Amino acid sequence: MVLNLSFRTFPLALDVGSGRGYIAQHLNKETVEKLIQADIAENALKNAVESEIPTVRVVADEEFLPFKEDTFDLVVSSLSLHWVNDLPRAFKEIHRVLKPDGVFIGAMFGGDTLYELRCSLQLAELEREGGFSPHVSPFTAVSDLGHLLSRAGFNTLTVDTDEIQVNYPGLFEVMEDLQGMGESNCSWNRKPLLHRETMLAAAAIYQEMYGNSDGSVPATFQIYYMIGWKFHESQARPAQRGSATVSFGDLAKINGLISRGKK
Amino acid sequence: MSGRGVWLRARARLRRFPALLGGCGEQAAAYGRCVAAAAAGPAELRRDACLEEFRALRDCFARAVGPGARSGVGGCAFPRC
């Protein structure tokens, strides 16, 4: 996620779910003057990467941010919100700690992420064992995301989606990489065991159903980018109903309308 | 049966999977096709719908692992044993 915030300097920013501080590496002092990095994993914070901006690291739960309301000019979060239990609550917390006219810019994994892996495991478990349990974390649907942000109080929402496909030799390599990224499944109700036969079956299914022509398999990462603002009187508001001065029916005459407006 | 030794051995076994699977491409493809067809069909995919094909795959895999070695029934557990 590349932040292009060159139009504004944020005196105090918060990175929610900062991990080892990936975002801080890409910020400069003109954009953010001071950054608080919050994560529930103390080890991640301890091993955080250096940044040119002064940072303070805080062990914190996204659902219970230990900050007063109206504290931050900017809150960012990159690819960590899928681990949060109570996402509506986390969004409300983010909204709470933002100052009026502050902005939340976030990126999180979307519903299509790792669908190939999820489906392969599901089919393999059905065929081999007669039933299945979740092995891939639940991801939010994009329609839900807009609602969640609105209900948390954010205005002027922007939600965008992007898909990145990474090719791997096969299912085992996908799973090993996910483990390396610290992204092993976080569902509470998952069966802890994945039988080796089921994995063998899933690998074969993955290859056959999704394999690329060169023998590799794709793993999809769908990313939602979201921007939400905390209300301030200076922000543009939608116009009042009934205040229109032209009708949609006049769209065909738009050239005439424009030249009339110029006179 | 617990402890780090088992976990490391299981992971080491799992790491060999991709290479071993490589030699069983035909059987894997046949099994995959069977499951894909069964899943796309009118009825739900049921247990052992592709038993024949899976047996062929498993046997090929066991041959690749070698005689006397444990190749993969039951128990463990990627990633936790």
Side-chain angles (χ1 to χ4, degrees):
Chain A
M1 179 176 88
V2 175
L3 295 177
N4 185 0
L5 302 163
S6 45
F7 61 94
R8 184 167 159 176
T9 300
F10 298 91
L12 186 61
L14 170 68
D15 180 357
V16 174
S18 57
R20 294 180 58 218
Y22 307 105
I23 296 184
Q25 296 174 75
H26 301 284
L27 294 174
N28 58 44
K29 288 183 224 149
E30 285 74 47
T31 310
V32 169
E33 288 171 19
K34 183 166 178 177
L35 177 69
I36 311 247
Q37 293 172 312
D39 200 283
I40 201 152
E42 193 173 340
N43 276 337
L45 289 171
K46 279 188 180 151
N47 291 309
V49 193
E50 289 302 317
S51 145
E52 70 170 42
I53 307 170
T55 61
V56 174
R57 299 168 205 166
V58 178
V59 177
D61 185 339
E62 296 87 346
E63 299 171 29
F64 302 97
L65 292 175
F67 308 106
K68 279 196 188 145
E69 59 192 52
D70 304 339
T71 302
F72 296 100
D73 306 279
L74 167 70
V75 174
V76 295
S77 180
S78 181
L79 303 182
S80 67
L81 289 171
H82 61 289
W83 282 98
V84 172
N85 291 321
D86 189 346
L87 192 56
R89 213 203 135 88
F91 282 144
K92 289 197 172 99
E93 279 290 275
I94 292 171
H95 183 265
R96 180 181 67 80
V97 303
L98 266 176
K99 283 179 174 160
D101 207 28
V103 63
F104 166 52
I105 302 180
M108 68 183 290
F109 285 120
D112 285 348
T113 300
L114 297 171
Y115 75 89
E116 302 97 341
L117 179 64
R118 186 177 59 240
C119 291
S120 303
L121 286 171
Q122 198 165 303
L123 290 173
E125 269 182 295
L126 269 173
E127 197 277 328
R128 291 284 83 224
E129 302 176 40
F132 64 90
S133 36
H135 291 282
V136 178
S137 300
F139 295 117
T140 312
V142 69
S143 49
D144 294 336
L145 193 61
H147 290 138
L148 284 175
L149 289 167
S150 289
R151 292 186 63 177
F154 290 102
N155 291 348
T156 323
L157 298 175
T158 308
V159 177
D160 239 320
T161 174
D162 195 10
E163 257 186 33
I164 301 174
Q165 251 189 19
V166 182
N167 292 323
Y168 286 91
L171 175 134
F172 296 102
E173 288 86 349
V174 174
M175 293 185 78
E176 201 164 27
D177 226 29
L178 290 171
Q179 251 205 300
M181 293 190 317
E183 294 291 348
S184 303
N185 185 4
C186 64
S187 285
W188 276 112
N189 60 343
R190 71 172 176 129
K191 212 170 42 178
L193 295 185
L194 251 182
H195 297 281
R196 274 176 293 189
E197 288 203 344
T198 304
M199 288 196 65
L200 179 58
I205 294 168
Y206 202 144
Q207 182 64 256
E208 176 57 30
M209 284 183 64
Y210 304 107
N212 298 316
S213 50
D214 65 358
S216 65
V217 298
T220 296
F221 295 89
Q222 184 186 43
I223 302 176
Y224 299 145
Y225 298 102
M226 59 201 129
I227 305 177
W229 296 80
K230 185 154 178 178
F231 174 75
H232 186 267
E233 290 85 32
S234 66
Q235 289 167 1
R237 273 211 196 84
Q240 285 276 54
R241 291 181 90 125
S243 64
T245 52
V246 288
S247 153
F248 272 119
D250 295 334
L251 212 55
K253 309 176 207 158
I254 194 157
N255 285 329
L257 286 169
I258 291 172
S259 49
R260 201 184 341 135
K262 279 187 185 149
K263 283 181 191 144
Chain B
M1 169 172 139
S2 63
R4 197 165 159 72
V6 174
W7 167 216
L8 288 173
R9 282 196 296 279
R11 273 202 86 172
R13 265 200 298 276
L14 277 167
R15 282 225 178 83
R16 298 181 60 208
F17 265 40
L20 299 172
L21 194 55
C24 300
E26 250 181 62
Q27 290 85 348
Y31 174 74
R33 273 195 301 271
C34 172
V35 171
E44 266 182 33
L45 177 65
R46 25 157 266 278
R47 185 174 187 171
D48 289 336
C50 300
L51 182 59
E52 290 290 313
E53 290 83 353
F54 184 74
R55 278 199 178 131
L57 174 59
R58 188 182 54 196
D59 293 344
C60 172
F61 198 75
R63 281 194 300 275
V65 169
R70 297 200 305 171
S71 66
V73 173
C76 178
F78 181 105
R80 290 178 182 82
C81 287

